[in-house]
């Protein structure tokens, strides 16, 4: 059960809006194109709003049509209705394309677009966003797990296309379809993990740990702050984490539930180092400048993580954000270049199915001490 909002947008000559007679004619000509879907529409209000725009509202027995006519010729209309069948659209994609053609012909406009219905407050949220804030709709059909912990909101949805999908604070993190993400973070095929000492920061979904264990490392230590993530993934993302989250202390690995920064500081005091340190934590923030709490947290992780990497031979491996977020990636690379320990780095990218975009990964090493 949900409300549906169908956006209908087109552009006309601005004179059709500013001239009262032409404006009235435009509205009268638009209604017959919409009424096959709504039934007969009755005008309930028509008014001018500041800035030279106008708003008209119409109602049928079960639907409403709101039309805003902007001073510059943009016409933004919305058909709204309530439905018990959230995935059954009153205006199909074929209907929308046909309506676009009718609008272009009727109003002699070059731009006309009818979007699929936006679902308003459905019982299961289908909407998440890309790294650059584009709205993405998923074919979710069940919420399998939901828990608000002291750290974050942990949810696992089932989707028809990507399988079960972990969502943290309303951001998609990993789905059963996303081996490309884990292999991208590992830089699989170009790194040798056999008999290596490895530290994972975050990684609560267990996918990275599971894939690394297949590479026969000497030992892997994983630190994640939220046990609810691991509990839920052990049950609902078994295909990506295997059985490594069933027991937090295995023959070649140990999972620590706790704060990564605190444990890393203790490890530095103990003079421990690792062949690989993986940061599978916060995405690179999208912000005007590298300031704020998230950037401070990221810099702390980067400085401590690179300090724990073995000089010259070790690597700090991390994910970043979508390849289209060029400004954020540039700021991230500037932070890498100004770490307390001098580093060099390479960037790779892989398409992640459930993210619906290419994602960037970084491989960071100490600058060689040799001249």
């Amino acid at each position: 059960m949900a409300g549906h909002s169908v956006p209908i947008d087109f552009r006309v000559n601005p004179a059709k809006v500013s001239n009262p007679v032409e404006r009235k004619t435009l509205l009268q000509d638009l209604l017959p194109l919409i009424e096959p879907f709504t039934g007969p529409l009755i005008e309930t209000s028509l008014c001018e709003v500041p800035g030279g725009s106008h708003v008209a509202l119409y109602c049928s027995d079960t639907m409403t049509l709101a039309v805003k006519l902007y001073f510059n010729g943009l016409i933004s209309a919305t058909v709204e209705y309530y439905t018990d069948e959230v995935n059954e659209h009153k205006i199909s994609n074929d209907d929308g394309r046909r309506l676009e053609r009718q609008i272009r012909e009727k109003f002699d406009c070059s731009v006309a677009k009818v979007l699929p219905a936006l679902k308003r407050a459905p019982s299961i949220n289908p909407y998440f966003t890309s790294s650059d804030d584009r709205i993405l709709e998923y074919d979710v059909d069940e919420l399998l797990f939901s828990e608000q912990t002291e750290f974050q909101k942990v949810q696992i949805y089932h989707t028809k296309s990507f399988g079960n999908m972990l969502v943290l604070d309303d951001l998609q993190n990993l789905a059963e379809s996303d081996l490309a993400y884990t292999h991208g973070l590992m830089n699989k095929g170009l790194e040798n993990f056999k008999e290596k000492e490895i530290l994972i920061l975050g990684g609560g979904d267990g996918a990275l740990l599971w894939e690394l264990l297949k590479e026969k490392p000497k030992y892997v230590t994983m630190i994640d702050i939220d046990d609810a993530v691991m509990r839920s993934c052990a049950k609902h993302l078994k295909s990506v984490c295997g059985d490594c989250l069933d027991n937090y202390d295995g023959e070649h690995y140990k999972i620590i539930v706790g704060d990564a920064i605190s444990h890393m500081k203790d490890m530095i005091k103990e003079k421990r180092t690792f062949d690989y340190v993986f940061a599978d934590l916060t995405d690179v923030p999208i912000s005007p400048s590298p300031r704020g709490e998230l950037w401070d947290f990221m810099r702390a992780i980067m400085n401590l993580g690179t300090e724990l990497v073995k000089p010259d031979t070790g690597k700090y491996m991390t994910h970043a954000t979508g390849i289209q977020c060029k400004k954020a990636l540039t700021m991230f690379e500037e932070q890498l270049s100004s770490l307390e320990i001098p580093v060099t780095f390479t960037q790779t990218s892989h398409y992640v199915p459930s993210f619906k975009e290419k994602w960037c990964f970084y491989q960071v090493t100490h600058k060689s001490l040799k001249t």
Side-chain angles (χ1 to χ4, degrees):
M1 298 182 291
H4 276 189
S5 295
V6 183
I8 303 169
D9 305 306
F10 57 101
R11 288 186 179 274
V12 298
N13 188 313
K16 291 182 180 293
V17 176
S18 60
N19 183 292
V21 175
E22 292 200 50
R23 184 170 61 247
K24 182 177 181 180
T25 300
L26 187 155
L27 290 169
Q28 290 175 339
D29 288 343
L30 178 62
L31 294 185
L33 304 182
I34 306 296
E35 286 178 329
F37 309 105
T38 63
L41 289 163
I42 299 173
E43 181 184 305
T44 60
S45 65
L46 177 62
C47 63
E48 183 174 358
V49 296
S53 299
H54 296 75
V55 176
L57 181 64
Y58 303 87
C59 293
S60 70
D61 290 341
T62 58
M63 298 188 187
T64 62
L65 170 68
V67 186
K68 185 166 186 180
L69 304 94
Y70 292 85
F71 69 94
N72 61 2
L74 170 63
I75 312 298
S76 179
T78 306
V79 174
E80 293 199 336
Y81 55 91
Y82 184 82
T83 176
D84 289 331
E85 300 297 333
V86 67
N87 291 315
E88 290 186 9
H89 294 204
K90 303 293 186 183
I91 302 177
S92 69
N93 286 338
D94 286 342
D95 293 332
R97 286 191 286 269
R98 186 163 50 251
L99 181 54
E100 289 171 0
R101 290 193 297 271
Q102 292 171 342
I103 289 172
R104 285 195 296 268
E105 293 169 1
K106 188 69 177 180
F107 301 107
D108 191 27
C109 54
S110 59
V111 177
K113 188 63 182 175
V114 179
L115 294 176
L118 297 174
K119 301 172 176 65
R120 313 298 291 269
S123 57
I124 303 176
N125 171 50
Y127 295 114
F128 300 99
T129 57
S130 66
S131 58
D132 58 345
D133 290 337
R134 288 174 290 113
I135 189 169
L136 304 173
E137 182 174 348
Y138 289 76
D139 51 1
V140 298
D141 57 9
E142 187 176 2
L143 178 61
L144 301 171
F145 180 90
S146 184
E147 181 177 330
Q148 178 66 56
T149 74
E150 61 179 303
F151 309 108
Q152 59 199 337
K153 180 168 67 173
V154 181
Q155 295 177 307
I156 295 182
Y157 291 83
H158 178 262
T159 72
K160 297 175 182 177
S161 296
F162 309 113
N164 293 348
M165 181 171 71
L166 172 66
V167 175
L168 301 178
D169 284 338
D170 298 318
L171 294 173
Q172 60 276 42
N173 268 244
L174 192 81
E176 291 182 293
S177 61
D178 296 342
L179 186 60
Y181 172 90
T182 306
H183 283 178
L185 181 56
M186 293 168 61
N187 205 22
K188 186 175 172 63
L190 297 174
E191 307 291 340
N192 180 14
F193 301 107
K194 188 174 182 180
E195 291 300 315
K196 299 297 173 62
E197 292 271 3
I198 300 172
L199 174 64
I200 300 175
L201 310 172
D205 52 63
L208 178 58
L209 175 58
W210 182 242
E211 292 301 314
L212 284 170
L213 290 174
K214 297 176 183 178
E215 305 288 321
K216 308 299 181 184
K218 182 177 181 181
Y219 202 80
V220 183
T221 303
M222 179 175 125
I223 308 171
D224 194 284
I225 200 168
D226 201 336
D227 187 60
V229 175
M230 293 179 280
R231 284 190 286 103
S232 60
C233 291
K235 181 176 181 180
H236 298 293
L237 263 72
K238 184 69 72 176
S239 68
V240 302
C241 66
D243 60 5
C244 68
L245 297 180
D246 296 344
N247 188 333
Y248 287 8
D249 198 346
E251 181 181 358
H252 294 285
Y253 72 93
K254 181 179 181 64
I255 299 173
I256 299 170
V257 180
D259 176 57
I261 289 180
S262 175
H263 282 278
M264 290 164 76
K265 289 179 178 178
D266 290 340
M267 290 173 176
I268 289 171
K269 289 178 183 178
E270 297 165 3
K271 300 189 182 304
R272 291 188 63 184
T273 57
F274 298 85
D275 297 292
Y276 287 94
V277 174
F278 285 91
D280 195 11
L281 294 159
T282 306
D283 298 339
V284 171
I286 307 300
S287 59
S289 64
R291 300 289 181 270
E293 185 178 346
L294 283 177
W295 279 106
D296 291 341
F297 173 76
M298 182 166 288
R299 275 188 291 267
I301 292 292
M302 291 158 64
N303 276 308
L304 293 170
T306 51
E307 191 170 351
L308 284 167
V309 169
K310 291 181 178 178
D312 297 320
T313 60
K315 287 189 179 181
Y316 175 85
M317 314 280 280
T318 187
H319 63 90
T321 189
I323 62 169
Q324 64 273 23
C325 301
K326 296 186 182 301
K327 184 176 179 181
L329 291 168
T330 297
M331 286 192 287
F332 178 68
E333 292 181 4
E334 289 171 351
Q335 303 311 301
L336 283 176
S337 298
S338 60
L339 291 177
E340 295 170 5
I341 294 176
V343 300
T344 58
F345 55 85
T346 55
Q347 181 202 94
T348 58
S349 62
H350 296 268
Y351 183 80
V352 181
S354 78
F355 293 4
K356 303 186 182 184
E357 59 184 325
K358 281 186 101 173
W359 206 254
C360 286
F361 303 91
Y362 284 85
Q363 305 81 38
V364 184
T365 59
H366 288 207
K367 284 185 177 178
S368 176
L369 301 178
K370 301 175 183 179
T371 58

